[in-house]
Amino acid sequence: MNTLLTDKTYKPYYERGTGIAAKLLRVNWLFVLACCAVAGIGYAALYSAAGGHGQPYATPQIERFFAALIMMIAIAMVDIRLIAKLAWPLYGVGVLLLVAVWKFGHVGLGAKRWLDLGGVHVQPSELMKLFLAMALASWFHRASHERVGNPLFLIPPALAILVPAGLILKEPNLGTAVITMSIGGAVMLGAGVRWWKFAIVIGLVAVIAPFAYHHLHGYQKERILTFLHPGRDPLGAGYNIIQSKIALGSGGMWGQGFLHGSQNQLNFLPEKQTDFVFTIIAEEFGFAGSLVLVSILLSMVAMATYTALRCGHQFGRLVALGISTNLFLYCFVNLAMVMGLIPVGGVPLPLVSYGGSALTAVMLAFGVLMSVHVHRDVEFETADTD
């Protein structure tokens, strides 16, 4: 049993006050400060991406961030047990939105990933990752070890992972689909599903992968071939990653200086305000500046993981685990992509890359994470025994 629930000197949640002021004191303000620091670095990068102007990237992005920050704190005040009750309804909404994207989605850069809602572009796949983690946590939080070990009990959560992943693949968005399945796998592993079951799934994927390659879209095959042979098409498919590596290397230890990055200011960097925004930071602030950003992001992953470990109820533990996994994969995939360590996948850097949907989805997840932290010792229903 969690030490928080057995230590006689520890005052449980209901004895410490449930008002807004008491909840605000329980918010992890160090995590909030880290969010603001990363958003500030993102503002500087987007300001530089526009040649030293707030428009069209930096100013709208920072305005969205502060609005999302208020939303994040507001969600932190909501009782986590209410959020748990909304988990499956939100999952259903997420699936419906993905179906709507498939039928009526807005096409951009060769993919159908956005819904146009009154002039506002929404990317449901970003929201679906949080909704999936919440739904799986709701499924497992009352389950005994015996039920988790029953293969039949694992069929519904497995389908809950495959349905949105399949819809995201149809957009097509391979990177987000893989991250979505990884989040689902992390929550199931945290719930107590044995590792050998995952080994079987990974083995099957390895066997199927060569056959699945022939069913990939043409641009996806090009990304894989370019990853294996970056110089095969330097002015076409390989242009992005070649220019990215040039920018990363030209920054050196201390960088070329703010607004003085040659690759950035001369517009050699592709998609520099979105997927490749890290290259601006590396070129203008060097290895030292890049290390600061990566360190803050890793500290946020560590704090999210600590919230999962510290939580006194299974729902909060699993949701926080899913959110920390999502944050880590966001960072890892984006940074590895711009360094040429993995194929380009179109995954933004959280709180840094330009984009309203990704920013809102990340801050919504952080709000749920803070709610877990604030309500980490509330009492849920007892676990099932049959």
Side-chain angles (χ1 to χ4, degrees):
M1 184 177 291
N2 195 296
T3 56
L4 293 176
L5 303 180
T6 57
D7 187 353
K8 295 181 179 179
T9 64
Y10 182 81
K11 289 185 178 181
Y13 171 77
Y14 55 81
E15 292 182 6
R16 300 175 65 186
T18 57
I20 297 297
K23 290 184 179 183
L24 286 172
L25 290 174
R26 289 169 63 83
V27 170
N28 185 347
W29 290 106
L30 184 60
F31 186 90
V32 176
L33 180 62
C35 289
C36 294
V38 174
I41 294 173
Y43 177 86
L46 294 176
Y47 185 86
S48 179
H53 301 283
Q55 297 291 343
Y57 310 127
T59 299
Q61 184 77 349
I62 203 66
E63 290 174 349
R64 284 193 289 254
F65 170 76
F66 283 116
L69 184 64
I70 295 172
M71 176 192 69
M72 169 185 164
I73 301 301
I75 294 173
M77 301 297 101
V78 178
D79 195 313
I80 192 64
R81 290 169 292 193
L82 175 59
I83 293 176
K85 292 179 180 179
L86 296 174
W88 281 104
L90 287 174
Y91 173 87
V93 170
V95 171
L96 290 176
L97 288 174
L98 288 176
V99 173
V101 168
W102 178 34
K103 293 290 186 180
F104 315 107
H106 170 76
V107 178
L109 297 178
K112 188 186 290 186
R113 302 176 184 175
W114 295 269
L115 281 177
D116 190 350
L117 303 178
V120 178
H121 288 169
V122 178
Q123 191 171 357
S125 59
E126 295 294 334
L127 296 171
M128 193 67 233
K129 292 182 287 184
L130 171 62
F131 297 161
L132 175 63
M134 291 169 56
L136 294 178
S138 177
W139 179 263
F140 284 107
H141 91 278
R142 295 178 61 244
S144 62
H145 289 292
E146 290 76 14
R147 295 193 70 185
V148 173
N150 184 351
L152 294 178
F153 183 73
L154 300 181
I155 293 177
L159 291 175
I161 296 172
L162 293 176
V163 168
L167 289 171
I168 294 170
L169 277 174
K170 289 186 69 67
E171 294 180 356
N173 192 342
L174 180 60
T176 301
V178 172
I179 291 177
T180 301
M181 289 187 287
S182 300
I183 292 169
V187 173
M188 292 181 69
L189 186 63
V193 178
R194 296 297 183 88
W195 66 268
W196 59 266
K197 295 178 181 178
F198 293 96
I200 292 175
V201 174
I202 294 173
L204 290 174
V205 171
V207 172
I208 296 173
F211 302 97
Y213 174 81
H214 298 289
H215 296 280
L216 293 176
H217 291 264
Y219 80 92
Q220 292 173 328
K221 292 180 180 179
E222 279 297 319
R223 286 178 175 178
I224 294 175
L225 292 174
T226 300
F227 165 69
L228 297 174
H229 308 285
R232 62 186 293 271
D233 188 10
L235 298 179
Y239 179 82
N240 288 12
I241 192 61
I242 290 174
Q243 297 302 321
S244 176
K245 289 181 177 180
I246 292 173
L248 292 173
S250 64
M253 176 58 72
W254 305 109
Q256 298 181 18
F258 184 50
L259 301 179
H260 289 91
S262 55
Q263 294 294 107
N264 172 30
Q265 300 302 325
L266 295 176
N267 291 319
F268 284 109
L269 289 177
E271 302 297 330
K272 59 183 179 179
Q273 77 278 10
T274 53
D275 298 345
F276 288 83
V277 69
F278 181 75
T279 56
I280 297 177
I281 298 168
E283 183 179 39
E284 298 190 353
F285 299 99
F287 177 78
S290 302
L291 187 61
V292 169
L293 173 60
V294 173
S295 297
I296 298 174
L297 289 171
L298 287 179
S299 72
M300 292 173 66
V301 174
M303 284 187 277
T305 305
Y306 177 74
T307 295
L309 296 174
R310 184 86 182 274
C311 186
H313 45 83
Q314 182 76 326
F315 178 81
R317 279 194 292 268
L318 295 179
V319 168
L321 176 62
I323 293 172
S324 64
T325 301
N326 184 34
L327 177 59
F328 172 77
L329 290 175
Y330 254 131
C331 300
F332 173 78
V333 172
N334 180 271
L335 297 179
M337 175 186 71
V338 301
M339 295 177 188
L341 301 178
I342 60 174
V344 174
V347 176
L349 189 61
L351 303 181
V352 181
S353 295
Y354 178 77
S357 289
L359 174 67
T360 302
V362 166
M363 294 299 284
L364 181 64
F366 289 167
V368 175
L369 179 69
M370 287 298 99
S371 179
V372 172
H373 187 84
V374 169
H375 305 93
R376 58 187 177 271
D377 52 358
V378 299
E379 295 182 355
F380 271 77
E381 298 174 3
T382 56
D384 292 343
T385 58
D386 56 340

